[in-house]
Amino acid sequence: MTSTIYDIQKIDAPLCQLGEGLCWDASRNLIWWLDIEGMKIYNMNPDTQQVNGFDTDAIIGFLALDENNRLIAFNDLEIQAYDDVTHTFTKLTDGFSDVFHDVLANDGKTDRQGRLLLGVKHTTCALPTAGVQRINSLDTASHKQTLIENITVANGPAFSPDGATMYFADSPSGEVRAYDYNTQNGTLSNRRVFAITPTDTYPDGMTVDSDGYLWQTLWQGQRVFRYAPDGA
């Protein structure tokens, strides 16, 4: 059995109250991330290591990029476009308070086909009033579908390289779930437990590398796990 050595580097950036939502932006050569509770957006150029921070005056759950490399923010339960020059937001769709109640934006991603998946959390992380929605079009909020309900804190999702498996965590459960993901219509099936995190740790943000391994951060665990596609 061979082991891989990874070059893990610490970013010299301000401490966050609640750091979330890393997003790689190849078109701008920037890494974006959020301080949700500090209400800031940060970016860093990996070549120069320069870090920039911008006030948002709002709680943002995550950032994503659309097909035109426009930055999309989940802000106050609305989908908004973020202008990285003027640092202003433009509303794209109505909020989703009609679906989930007593919730805040928390995490999300685009699937391999470009559909946007939004996750929310209960305001005090105590009740299963949250869930995940899929947005098929940013032009109209009517193109949305609820994928997961009755959860407390949504984290993820992440997708296998072929897009056919979706990983997701309801953090307080300590479980990382896997689903079969229909790449044609964006529906879920065959829910299963993919991994269980150690006692008193909670699965948080996640991503999948080019080899299909899931990288899972642990809230209160101060570590990152890398799981093989079979969960090992």
Side-chain angles (χ1 to χ4, degrees):
M1 179 177 178
T2 60
S3 61
T4 303
I5 304 299
Y6 296 95
D7 181 17
I8 299 174
Q9 301 178 9
K10 179 182 177 182
I11 295 174
D12 185 14
L15 294 176
C16 294
Q17 294 181 45
L18 183 60
E20 293 273 3
L22 282 166
C23 176
W24 167 240
D25 183 350
S27 67
R28 299 175 180 83
N29 194 40
L30 292 173
I31 301 168
W32 295 88
W33 71 95
L34 303 164
D35 182 353
I36 293 181
E37 294 184 357
M39 293 190 285
K40 280 185 172 291
I41 292 177
Y42 290 97
N43 67 38
M44 186 194 77
N45 183 312
D47 296 331
T48 65
Q49 301 287 301
Q50 179 176 339
V51 175
N52 302 296
F54 313 100
D55 293 326
T56 65
D57 298 322
I59 291 176
I60 301 174
F62 69 91
L63 293 172
L65 292 164
D66 69 7
E67 66 273 16
N68 298 314
N69 294 313
R70 179 175 56 171
L71 283 159
I72 306 300
F74 191 23
N75 178 351
D76 291 335
L77 301 186
E78 297 175 353
I79 307 301
Q80 301 187 349
Y82 174 65
D83 188 315
D84 64 311
V85 176
T86 63
H87 308 296
T88 56
F89 295 90
T90 303
K91 179 179 174 180
L92 299 176
T93 73
D94 293 328
F96 304 105
S97 58
D98 58 325
V99 179
F100 304 121
H101 304 280
D102 299 319
V103 294
L104 297 171
N106 194 61
D107 204 356
K109 276 195 184 73
T110 54
D111 66 13
R112 302 296 185 191
Q113 290 69 44
R115 293 173 291 238
L116 188 62
L117 279 74
L118 317 172
V120 295
K121 66 178 181 179
H122 181 255
T123 50
T124 63
C125 303
L127 297 175
T129 64
V132 176
Q133 282 195 317
R134 186 190 70 241
I135 307 298
N136 296 326
S137 171
L138 292 175
D139 298 325
T140 170
S142 64
H143 293 168
K144 64 184 180 182
Q145 180 177 352
T146 299
L147 296 182
I148 301 173
E149 297 180 273
N150 302 318
I151 62 170
T152 306
V153 179
N155 267 300
F159 294 90
S160 59
D162 64 1
T165 300
M166 187 187 93
Y167 303 98
F168 169 79
D170 181 9
S171 295
S173 72
E175 291 182 354
V176 182
R177 305 176 188 171
Y179 297 83
D180 293 344
Y181 188 77
N182 188 314
T183 58
Q184 297 301 310
N185 58 28
T187 56
L188 300 175
S189 61
N190 190 26
R191 169 185 162 178
R192 55 206 182 267
V193 176
F194 176 74
I196 298 176
T197 59
T199 302
D200 296 327
T201 69
Y202 306 95
D204 203 329
M206 61 180 72
T207 193
V208 174
D209 64 24
S210 58
D211 294 323
Y213 284 68
L214 179 73
W215 292 75
Q216 177 68 67
T217 61
L218 298 184
W219 174 259
Q220 294 187 350
Q222 294 81 45
R223 71 193 95 164
V224 178
F225 280 0
R226 184 178 187 247
Y227 293 104
D230 62 359

